[in-house]
Amino acid sequence: MGASDPEVAPWARGGAAGMAGAGAGAGARGGAAAGVEARARDPPPAHRAHPRHPRPAAQPSVRRMDGASGGLGSGDNAPTTEALFVALGAGVTALSHPLLYVKLLIQVGHEPMPPTIGTNVLGRKVLYLPSFFTYAKYIVQVDGKIGLFRGLSPRLMSNALSTVTRGSMKKVFPPDEIEQVSNKDDMKTSLKKVVKETSYEMMMQCVSRMLAHPLHVISMRCMVQFVGREAKYSGVLSSIGKIFKEEGLLGFFVGLIPHLLGDVVFLWGCNLLAHFINAYLVDDSFSQALAIRSYTKFVMGIAVSMLTYPFLLVGDLMAVNNCGLQAGLPPYSPVFKSWIHCWKYLSVQGQLFRGSSLLFRRVSSGSCFALE
């Protein structure tokens, strides 16, 4: 669901979906929403449930796409398929990078341009902060078009590492060993299978997140150098040396816990909500039941990504906090003792969804800007 990668799709958890309104990380911790993988298969006609006694259809698991998806081929074509996923993920990452770059600068509170006066639906005058497009033009004026891709290299490496990790884990722990959810399952059996599939997805997501997080931290710090015009983090290898020297091994994992919590809440919330909605609220006798179930999974991915956006925001802020860059020091940000301290601070300020919207950005009541 940040600029956070290997997070959830650019639009999952605060990415492109976030452009439509606050709370969306669909950027994502993010922008556009969760990838959904349907594993359910209709049984052969001979095994279908009696029409007079329809059984609740089971809900397959939902897989989140955090910049690096995990579905890979098998057999002799596995290396080729894996390389194809890495290349495809790199292309999507590069195209979405300006969006996540602007989002990160907004997340850290960098507002270099004054707000403009506009009107809301009621005709009242309100202050609007610059949208993504205006912000992107400003970056081009300062750094040129290439400036929109600051921090892209470590992010590409992070996503590639996440994809390869998921593929390797699938070889060690083949998903075929997990029973597939079927429409002929009863409620209790289908729920057990959804729980097993979600646990499998959670394991892969958490491991890939932990391994790729150091590169994510480097990418975040490279991008926020735009705020203070620093050049402290200029390359992956030199950045690794600086972080290890100044912060030790733990410096590579700052902000990891809120990202992991966001991933776990996203997967379980999305899978279980979609399962229960499809099992209890969608009637099998309805002719469009299958289509509705597929849309239910899609909508649940967006809805849950909105709720988990604060985890993405806190994780990204902790990655750059007190690292020697202006964006992570007062007045942009207090020095946080922990991610919980950061969460509480943002909650008090009413800023837990800061950066979730990139188009219609109204000035909050607690802002320093005033409407004359």
Side-chain angles (χ1 to χ4, degrees):
M1 204 296 329
S4 86
D5 279 282
E7 356 145 344
V8 192
W11 62 288
R13 311 196 35 200
M19 296 175 64
R29 144 181 231 94
V36 178
E37 180 179 345
R39 298 173 183 261
R41 297 186 177 89
D42 288 333
H47 299 286
R48 292 187 182 275
H50 196 281
R52 294 183 181 179
H53 304 283
R55 293 175 179 174
Q59 172 61 40
S61 73
V62 177
R63 178 169 304 167
R64 136 183 222 185
M65 300 186 66
D66 288 340
S69 59
L72 299 173
S74 58
D76 295 337
N77 294 329
T80 303
T81 307
E82 184 170 336
L84 178 62
F85 270 101
V86 171
L88 181 62
V92 173
T93 299
L95 291 175
S96 65
H97 189 76
L99 179 73
L100 297 182
Y101 180 26
V102 170
K103 187 162 87 82
L104 178 63
L105 294 179
I106 295 174
Q107 285 179 332
V108 299
H110 184 53
E111 299 291 349
M113 293 167 286
T116 57
I117 300 177
T119 56
N120 57 16
V121 293
L122 300 177
R124 297 178 180 176
K125 289 185 178 182
V126 293
L127 289 176
Y128 286 101
L129 291 168
S131 67
F132 161 75
F133 300 102
T134 305
Y135 211 127
K137 289 180 181 178
Y138 173 77
I139 294 176
V140 172
Q141 291 175 357
V142 176
D143 283 346
K145 293 182 179 179
I146 194 66
L148 290 172
F149 298 92
R150 182 194 293 261
L152 176 60
S153 297
R155 186 167 167 241
L156 288 173
M157 296 172 65
S158 174
N159 288 353
L161 179 59
S162 179
T163 301
V164 172
T165 299
R166 294 176 69 94
S168 300
M169 290 187 65
K170 282 191 172 185
K171 296 175 184 177
V172 178
F173 306 102
D176 294 337
E177 295 178 3
I178 299 178
E179 295 182 80
Q180 299 295 314
V181 178
S182 172
N183 287 340
K184 65 183 180 181
D185 293 329
D186 57 26
M187 187 64 190
K188 185 176 181 180
T189 302
S190 64
L191 179 59
K192 288 183 178 179
K193 291 182 178 180
V194 169
V195 169
K196 185 177 292 187
E197 290 182 15
T198 305
S199 300
Y200 178 78
E201 289 294 327
M202 181 182 66
M203 175 192 67
M204 289 201 303
Q205 179 63 27
C206 289
V207 172
S208 62
R209 168 74 71 181
M210 288 187 290
L211 292 179
H213 192 74
L215 290 169
H216 172 72
V217 171
I218 294 174
S219 177
M220 296 294 100
R221 295 185 179 184
C222 287
M223 286 188 275
V224 299
Q225 289 183 134
F226 177 84
V227 175
R229 312 304 299 162
E230 298 106 335
K232 182 177 180 180
Y233 300 95
S234 56
V236 175
L237 294 180
S238 61
S239 298
I240 291 175
K242 285 185 176 68
I243 294 176
F244 185 77
K245 181 180 179 181
E246 297 177 2
E247 305 172 52
L249 189 61
L250 294 179
F252 295 103
F253 298 96
V254 287
L256 174 62
I257 293 179
H259 275 300
L260 287 177
L261 289 176
D263 292 342
V264 171
V265 173
F266 178 89
L267 285 172
W268 284 99
C270 200
N271 287 355
L272 293 179
L273 282 175
H275 173 74
F276 286 122
I277 288 175
N278 285 345
Y280 286 109
L281 301 181
V282 181
D283 191 348
D284 285 344
S285 62
F286 185 59
S287 60
Q288 300 296 324
L290 291 178
I292 291 178
R293 288 190 177 109
S294 64
Y295 281 112
T296 300
K297 293 177 288 185
F298 177 79
V299 172
M300 285 301 100
I302 298 177
V304 177
S305 71
M306 294 179 181
L307 298 177
T308 56
Y309 179 82
F311 290 100
L312 170 70
L313 173 61
V314 172
D316 287 347
L317 291 183
M318 290 303 298
V320 302
N321 188 252
N322 196 27
C323 65
L325 299 178
Q326 185 176 334
L329 296 170
Y332 284 95
S333 170
V335 175
F336 299 116
K337 299 177 181 178
S338 66
W339 71 270
I340 298 178
H341 179 202
C342 179
W343 184 294
K344 291 180 178 179
Y345 173 82
L346 292 173
S347 179
V348 171
Q349 299 292 323
Q351 297 290 315
L352 277 175
F353 290 90
R354 184 171 66 193
S356 61
S357 177
L358 297 179
L359 285 181
F360 304 104
R361 304 174 53 224
R362 288 185 55 181
V363 175
S364 62
S365 57
S367 173
C368 60
F369 297 111
L371 180 60
E372 298 179 354

